[in-house]
Amino acid sequence: MRLDFVTIFPDYFAPLELSLLGKARERGTLEVAVHDLRKWTDDVHRTVDDSPYGGGPGMIMKPEPWGRALQEVTGGTAVAHREPAQSGRARVIVPTPAGRPFDQQLAAELAGEPWLIFCCGRYEGIDARVAERWADDEISIGDYVLAGGEVAALVMVEAVVRLLPGVLGNAESAGDDSFSAGLLEAPSYTRPPEWEGIGVPDVLRSGDHGAIAAWRREQSLLRTRMRRPDLLPPAG
Ligand code: 6GU
């Protein structure tokens, strides 16, 4: 998979060198480029923002640098009104709190793409014509407001990349994760059998795999009912 990020803060993407993402890059599973939006400005001050039409607080990112950036980064493969899944072209994503919600299902869908481009806005957002012209998706990572799209893009990328073939070790698996089964995961334990006066549930040390599976299922349901009742079908 190829990933491009366009941002005025390239330093935000230092974590792409680390851990899972760094290893995936070393192995060649992942090809990453981070682009400074100011490269596509055309004035001495390298201006990327301007005040909003209609008034209001804060500044809006100007469309022209974004247009030039996306023309270059996509290699001109985008179209005026974006069509679905032309093979070989990038899927262009604008992280925004006004987007559709990111979830495990969308992560799995994005993991099937060969190429993602994240357009990371700052200030009060990007002139809406940029998304109209270029974006396949405008996506929010949750119901709160961040100062910019950079961290949101990293969140999405971490969720997507761990689903790529060969990224998680053999011992691990994405299959039992919270949400992929539609429920929260059961609690897990390792040695020692007692720590700070707290034991490990006996069933997990029983060797009875049927009983262990049943216990985990029950714990998943309990947790989900307590913490995320919205994930369960309506009672009754
Ligand atoms: Cl994608 N961007 C920003 N700035 N804030 C957010 C978000 C994205 N998702 C939730 N809050």
Side-chain angles (χ1 to χ4, degrees):
M1 170 178 276
R2 173 171 163 188
L3 298 174
D4 288 272
F5 303 89
V6 184
T7 174
I8 59 167
F9 292 123
D11 290 348
Y12 257 98
F13 295 92
L16 293 174
E17 310 279 344
L18 303 175
S19 184
L20 213 73
L21 292 163
K23 278 182 204 122
R25 287 175 79 176
E26 281 168 27
R27 284 207 210 89
T29 305
L30 210 58
E31 202 182 330
V32 176
V34 181
H35 310 275
D36 187 343
L37 179 69
R38 291 192 201 275
K39 171 177 168 188
W40 291 281
T41 56
D42 60 1
D43 63 314
V44 295
H45 298 109
R46 308 180 86 196
T47 308
V48 294
D49 61 339
D50 200 347
S51 41
Y53 276 122
M59 299 291 272
I60 306 299
M61 292 187 111
K62 297 161 57 62
E64 306 95 315
W66 282 105
R68 289 188 286 264
L70 286 164
Q71 190 67 39
E72 185 169 332
V73 173
T74 60
T77 59
V79 289
H81 289 284
R82 311 280 300 172
E83 300 152 26
Q86 219 170 296
S87 74
R89 79 160 175 82
R91 185 153 170 179
V92 177
I93 296 168
V94 178
T96 165
R100 68 159 155 147
F102 187 67
D103 60 13
Q104 193 64 26
Q105 189 187 321
L106 183 50
E109 185 187 321
L110 296 181
E113 297 281 350
W115 184 9
L116 304 176
I117 300 177
F118 290 91
C119 306
C120 303
R122 284 266 142 183
Y123 315 113
E124 297 303 308
I126 307 173
D127 184 301
R129 292 168 292 186
V130 174
E132 183 181 331
R133 169 74 174 78
W134 288 96
D136 295 284
D137 308 273
E138 295 177 81
I139 306 177
S140 165
I141 64 162
D143 294 341
Y144 39 79
V145 179
L146 304 172
E150 286 79 7
V151 169
L154 285 170
V155 166
M156 291 187 241
V157 163
E158 190 160 304
V160 167
V161 169
R162 64 188 288 285
L163 299 178
L164 299 178
V167 169
L168 289 187
N170 262 347
E172 302 150 304
S173 155
D176 295 333
D177 290 340
S178 291
F179 301 114
S180 47
L183 296 175
L184 303 188
E185 244 189 317
S188 42
Y189 301 84
T190 185
R191 279 178 284 272
E194 187 175 316
W195 176 79
E196 308 242 329
I198 310 171
V200 170
D202 287 335
V203 61
L204 295 179
R205 304 174 60 205
S206 69
D208 181 341
H209 296 291
I212 291 169
W215 181 86
R216 285 182 171 151
R217 178 86 191 159
E218 180 192 309
Q219 290 294 312
S220 281
L221 282 165
L222 273 172
R223 266 194 175 179
T224 307
R225 197 176 303 136
M226 294 301 294
R227 301 176 180 178
R228 293 296 307 277
D230 58 296
L231 296 178
L232 293 170

